């Protein structure tokens, strides 16, 4: 699940012609093609809503060397699942089954105690990431594996709550928490007496006609699931979520996500529409270093666009919805890279009348396998943050504890950069040419990781 917030942007003033579909598809293709040509992504699907019209563009492959994606290709949507969980919270509130200011403790089973500060953690605190609960619990059995959430159950979550002490007061500061929203989804499903999948189907997907959106792969979804990738020719991992999928476990298609985006633009006159509308409203006012939020939704810097992205072990997604423009963008890829967030932003800016230019990707220089080999090893930045560097099939691959392994590209024999994130690595060699450390440069900060193996 992606934890990276996209840069906020201002939407340009302008309008878009009603006869837009074919022309727009060509412009989207021009913006998206460099991502495929540069091997930043393997496959890519972009869907657009403008009023009551939709169009979609598909590039690349669902598998390396395999078939092309389509409207019905299934992707993991990662943390966009949090928007669905926010709408389920809105539904429970609309039905009178819960209150936004209701203490979470009231929904927990006997024997489980929610940590508290001067006041109790409420349901709206969890949905707006202001609960004070951490990003992840400290009792995840498979935290460092390729499928970190697969065996993290509600039982383990309850054990964590009973032992945890808050580091800050509820409501005091925003801290993105996969753990908290996973718990929220579980509590809402338990309250309803249904599984998360069944609750989502009853309250959201079936009313909206979304037949290919679920946690569990149903019908022909498995045969249409795009193969996950960390990089071109590097297969990723499909993620599982035990009984707590509400923060990142949903799979969907471009066709279904366009239906969802249309419903968010123009909610139906129904209980589902009421829940969508409640989730859309501002429920956290933001502040220094923190953006406004709805229930699950982030507000962009323009004040009107709602968005959420997501990333799992081989997929990335972005959803952006703007009611003032009556427009939305859905982007799904079977490659774990946040680089495509910028592409989604360019498309919605285009819908506002801007004319963004296609992005240029640096290719990287050639480095011999022998010189790459000397960079291999494990480099420790912190006890729970270790880089694992390997040279494989002419590529330098870098893994980080509890994060996907990604390819880096050479600026020189010792300077390497990511395409998937805005970061670079510089390897420090001794006089004998042996690597002793690497320096991570990201967000204007340099940090040194010493070689430990």
């Amino acid at each position: 699940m992606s934890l990276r917030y996209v840069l906020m942007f201002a939407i340009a003033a302008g309008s878009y012609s009603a006869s837009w579909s074919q022309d727009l598809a060509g412009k989207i293709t021009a913006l998206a093609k460099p991502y495929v040509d540069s091997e930043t992504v393997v496959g890519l699907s972009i869907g657009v809503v403008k009023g009551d019209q939709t169009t979609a563009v598909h590039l690349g492959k669902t598998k390396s060397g395999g078939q092309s994606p389509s409207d019905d290709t299934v992707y993991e949507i990662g943390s966009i699942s949090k928007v669905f969980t926010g709408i389920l919270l809105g539904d429970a509130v609309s039905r009178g089954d819960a209150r936004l200011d209701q203490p979470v403790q009231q929904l927990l089973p006997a024997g489980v105690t929610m940590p508290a500060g001067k006041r109790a953690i409420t349901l709206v605190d969890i949905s707006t990431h202001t609960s004070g609960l951490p990003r992840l619990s400290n009792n995840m059995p498979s935290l460092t594996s390729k499928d970190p959430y697969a065996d993290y159950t509600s039982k383990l979550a309850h054990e964590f709550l009973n032992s945890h002490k808050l580091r800050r007061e509820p409501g005091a500061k925003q801290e993105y928490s996969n753990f908290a929203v996973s718990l929220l989804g579980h509590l809402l499903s338990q309250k309803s007496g249904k599984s998360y999948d069944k609750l989502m189907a009853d309250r959201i997907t079936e009313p909206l006609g979304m037949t290919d959106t679920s946690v569990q792969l149903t019908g022909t979804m498995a045969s249409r699931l795009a193969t996950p990738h960390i990089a071109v020719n590097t297969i990723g991992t499909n993620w599982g979520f035990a009984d707590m999928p509400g923060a990142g476990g949903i799979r969907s298609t471009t066709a279904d996500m366009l239906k969802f985006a249309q419903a968010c633009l123009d909610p139906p006159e129904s209980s589902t529409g009421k829940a969508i509308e409640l989730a859309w409203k501002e429920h956290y006012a933001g502040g220094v270093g923190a953006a406004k939020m709805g229930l699950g939704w982030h507000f962009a810097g323009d004040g009107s666009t709602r968005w959420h992205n997501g990333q799992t072990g081989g997929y990335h997604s972005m959803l952006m919805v703007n009611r003032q423009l009556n427009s939305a963008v859905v982007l799904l890829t079977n490659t774990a890279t946040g680089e495509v967030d910028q592409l989604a932003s360019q498309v919605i800016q285009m819908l506002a009348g801007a004319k963004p230019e296609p992005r240029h990707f640096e290719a990287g220089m050639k480095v011999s396998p022998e010189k790459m080999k000397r960079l291999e090893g494990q480099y420790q930045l912190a006890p729970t943050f270790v880089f694992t560097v390997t040279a494989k099939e002419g590529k330098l691959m870098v893994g980080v504890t509890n994060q996907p392994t990604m390819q880096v590209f050479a600026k020189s024999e010792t300077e390497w950069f990511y395409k998937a994130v805005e970061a670079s690595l510089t390897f420090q060699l001794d006089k004998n040419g042996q690597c002793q450390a690497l320096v991570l440069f990201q967000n204007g900060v340099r940090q040194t990781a010493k070689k430990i193996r």
Side-chain angles (χ1 to χ4, degrees), residues 241-450:
F241 283 84
D243 63 342
M244 300 216 321
I250 298 173
R251 282 98 170 193
S252 190
T253 64
T254 304
D256 267 15
M257 290 303 294
L258 285 173
K259 292 176 183 177
F260 182 69
Q262 285 178 305
C264 292
L265 281 171
D266 185 17
E269 294 291 334
S270 65
S271 58
T272 302
K274 290 180 181 178
I276 289 172
E277 194 60 37
L278 183 56
W280 183 266
K281 293 179 179 178
E282 179 186 315
H283 293 281
Y284 174 67
V288 178
K292 296 179 180 180
M293 283 199 69
L295 300 180
W297 285 111
H298 299 295
F299 285 37
D302 64 350
S304 57
T305 302
R306 309 291 195 271
W307 68 271
H308 214 299
N309 59 358
Q311 187 167 303
T312 58
Y315 304 85
H316 194 89
S317 61
M318 171 60 91
L319 173 63
M320 311 185 87
V321 183
N322 186 297
R323 289 184 178 176
Q324 289 185 7
L325 294 175
N326 201 14
S327 302
V329 175
V330 173
L331 188 151
L332 305 172
T333 178
N334 62 334
T335 314
T337 171
E339 286 293 297
V340 292
D341 288 344
Q342 181 175 331
L343 174 58
S345 295
Q346 285 184 311
V347 174
I348 203 164
Q349 289 173 19
M350 184 188 297
L351 294 173
K355 297 179 180 179
E357 292 294 324
R359 207 170 153 191
H360 172 72
F361 287 91
E362 189 175 351
M365 64 174 283
K366 295 289 185 181
V367 175
S368 70
E370 295 76 20
K371 289 184 176 179
M372 279 195 283
K373 196 75 176 173
R374 65 183 178 175
L375 307 180
E376 288 188 322
Q378 289 189 316
Y379 302 81
Q380 185 175 27
L381 191 63
T384 58
F385 198 103
V386 177
F387 294 92
T388 300
V389 180
T390 56
K392 180 181 178 182
E393 299 176 353
K395 299 176 181 179
L396 195 66
M397 307 299 294
V398 180
V400 179
T401 306
N402 193 37
Q403 295 185 31
T405 299
M406 299 181 184
Q407 184 179 0
V408 290
F409 301 84
K411 290 183 178 179
S412 69
E413 292 178 359
T414 57
E415 295 180 71
W416 298 73
F417 65 94
Y418 288 90
K419 290 184 181 179
V421 293
E422 293 184 9
S424 64
L425 302 174
T426 301
F427 293 87
Q428 297 181 336
L429 307 181
D430 63 19
K431 61 182 180 180
N432 297 316
Q434 300 299 310
C435 192
Q436 302 298 316
L438 67 78
V439 178
L440 168 67
F441 181 69
Q442 188 174 28
N443 298 326
V445 178
R446 297 184 187 276
Q447 296 175 283
T448 300
K450 298 292 186 182

Side-chain angles (χ1 to χ4, degrees), residues 8-21:
M8 301 308 166
F9 62 91
I11 290 182
S15 60
Y16 213 88
S17 169
S19 60
W20 57 283
S21 185

Side-chain angles (χ1 to χ4, degrees), residues 42-43 59-69 226-227 229 233 235 334:
V42 177
L59 299 172
K61 303 295 181 182
T62 60
K63 300 174 175 62
S64 295
Q67 67 191 68
S68 299
T227 300
H229 290 82
N233 298 320
I235 303 300
N334 62 334

Side-chain angles (χ1 to χ4, degrees), residues 160-204:
F160 172 75
L161 291 175
N162 281 336
S163 64
H164 184 67
K165 293 184 179 179
L166 296 181
R167 294 176 296 176
R168 61 174 63 90
E169 285 293 315
K173 186 177 179 181
Q174 196 173 62
E175 179 182 3
Y176 193 90
S177 177
N178 287 319
F179 170 78
V181 182
S182 294
L183 178 67
L184 175 61
H186 177 70
L187 294 176
L188 292 171
S189 63
Q190 291 294 294
K191 175 76 172 176
S192 71
K194 304 174 182 179
S195 69
Y196 185 92
D197 244 350
K198 178 59 175 171
L199 179 61
M200 180 175 65
D202 287 352
R203 305 296 164 81
I204 303 175

